[in-house]
Amino acid sequence: MLRRTFQLIPGVGPWKEKDLWARGIQTWDDFPGNGAVLGQKLDEGARRRLELAREALARRDLKGLAAMVPQREHWRLYPEFARDAVYFDIETDGAQEQNPTVVALFDEAGLRVFIQGRNMDDLPEAMAERRLWVTFNGSCFDVPVLRQYFGKRFPTPDAHIDLRFVCRRLGMGGGLKEIEDKWGLARPPHMKGVNGWDAVLLWRAYRERGDVEALRFLVEYNLYDSFQLRSLMDKAYNRALDDLNMDSEPRVPVFERGELLYDVSRLILELGPTERDLKVLERVRAQDRDLHQD
């Protein structure tokens, strides 16, 4: 789809692009090397722009291509750079400053979880490993929260696809869980109805009482928020091609989540109490002993 994108030419929007397709100019290579195509003022610049795009793609220059392609069309970059993608989601403490508590990443290397008070400081380096970020509402919430928290340490991706806005253009409004259900990406029964405020309560139960089971439930919830984005990205890309009547353009295979469930279970079971958690438990038990002695 990227090679069919002519909106990277200044002055070419969705309608002019569709007109080019209708005239048989389906890809960059179909754009005539001479003669009138878009008009005398645009043609010379268009040919230069397309040559720059070809060179950038040959170099795998995602940043350069993202700068040329309008933000609303960044979904078209996906198949070419899917192996460079990281899908992530964050939970916060619910305070006014919205500090991150748990962050789950999913990429080609698998699942990773970063937890406040354990390994959260390692997150910026992990995020910097991937050039393409995929989120749901991340441009409005997740990334600003993380950037505020980490400051200059937090990296900037070469491109960021926010599926909230991609799905909205496809007529799929609402929140992440609602869209998942509509597209057959339902979560297991014990995850049904869990929301962002529940995530805050689970974190508080962990921090205030050392409730490791609450932490495990919170991490599981956050993991689903991250790896579900891979399947959602695949479905959204294919749906966008359908909307453009791109029958000859290859669809991407939709990611099957089943192969990840073992890793989810393993990560959750590995979350034992830290030394701090044990001290919380010691304090709570001591308070309980004192209460019953009285």
Side-chain angles (χ1 to χ4, degrees):
M1 186 61 210
L2 180 57
R3 292 173 177 84
R4 295 177 182 266
T5 299
F6 293 100
Q7 293 187 52
L8 50 74
I9 299 171
V12 174
W15 294 109
K16 283 188 178 180
E17 180 180 61
K18 289 179 180 178
D19 178 63
L20 288 172
W21 294 339
R23 291 158 55 189
I25 304 174
Q26 295 286 321
T27 71
W28 298 343
D29 292 338
D30 297 328
F31 198 93
N34 50 59
V37 182
L38 296 168
Q40 188 174 359
K41 290 184 178 180
L42 290 179
D43 283 346
E44 184 178 348
R47 293 183 179 104
R48 285 200 303 268
R49 190 76 162 182
L50 291 176
E51 185 57 33
L52 289 174
R54 289 189 193 93
E55 293 171 358
L57 185 54
R59 295 194 307 271
R60 309 290 300 161
D61 181 3
L62 174 58
K63 186 175 183 179
L65 287 164
M68 287 189 272
V69 176
Q71 177 72 40
R72 67 179 181 273
E73 306 297 343
H74 277 187
W75 63 270
R76 302 185 184 194
L77 298 163
Y78 175 62
E80 295 285 351
F81 295 95
R83 299 189 67 175
D84 294 299
V86 61
Y87 311 83
F88 70 95
D89 184 82
I90 76 170
E91 309 301 337
T92 67
D93 58 6
Q96 185 173 359
E97 294 182 356
Q98 296 283 7
N99 295 310
T101 56
V102 178
V103 180
L105 308 185
F106 175 52
D107 59 19
E108 278 221 326
L111 291 167
R112 284 179 284 180
V113 177
F114 298 84
I115 301 171
Q116 187 64 249
R118 294 192 178 208
N119 61 343
M120 185 64 75
D121 286 346
D122 297 333
L123 180 66
E125 288 72 27
M127 296 291 294
E129 294 172 5
R130 298 298 175 182
R131 300 188 292 160
L132 175 61
W133 293 359
V134 180
T135 66
F136 188 93
N137 200 40
S139 60
C140 299
F141 182 72
D142 303 62
V143 172
V145 167
L146 294 174
R147 197 170 299 285
Q148 173 67 29
Y149 181 79
F150 287 106
K152 294 181 179 179
R153 285 190 59 211
F154 196 66
T156 298
D158 290 349
H160 178 183
I161 300 173
D162 190 330
L163 286 170
R164 175 190 171 190
F165 301 104
V166 176
C167 290
R168 181 182 293 178
R169 288 183 62 196
L170 297 172
M172 302 289 286
L176 175 60
K177 284 76 173 177
E178 181 182 351
I179 295 173
E180 286 175 354
D181 287 341
K182 289 178 180 177
W183 276 356
L185 299 172
R187 303 188 181 203
H190 68 288
M191 288 281 121
K192 289 284 189 179
V194 185
N195 57 42
W197 180 244
D198 293 325
V200 171
L201 297 179
L202 288 166
W203 177 254
R204 290 177 181 176
Y206 167 64
R207 292 296 288 179
E208 294 171 9
R209 300 192 298 276
D211 188 338
V212 176
E213 287 304 311
L215 176 65
R216 286 173 173 164
F217 196 97
L218 172 60
V219 167
E220 183 178 10
Y221 169 73
N222 187 232
L223 284 168
Y224 270 90
D225 276 353
S226 64
F227 71 74
Q228 292 273 83
L229 294 176
R230 167 70 188 277
S231 301
L232 188 64
M233 179 72 247
D234 293 339
K235 282 182 173 286
Y237 178 82
N238 292 340
R239 176 71 172 270
L241 293 182
D242 292 342
D243 277 15
L244 291 173
N245 297 313
M246 288 289 173
D247 297 334
S248 62
E249 190 70 18
R251 270 52 176 172
V252 298
V254 177
F255 176 71
E256 292 292 338
R257 304 165 296 162
E259 59 195 77
L260 272 184
L261 297 184
Y262 172 80
D263 291 332
V264 171
S265 299
R266 178 180 55 79
L267 283 170
I268 294 168
L269 291 174
E270 287 176 353
L271 290 173
T274 65
E275 184 178 349
R276 176 197 173 281
D277 299 332
L278 293 173
K279 289 180 179 178
V280 171
L281 291 172
E282 289 174 4
R283 186 176 71 248
V284 170
R285 288 167 180 163
Q287 291 170 347
D288 182 62
R289 286 193 300 268
D290 293 343
L291 179 66
H292 285 87
Q293 287 173 358
D294 294 340

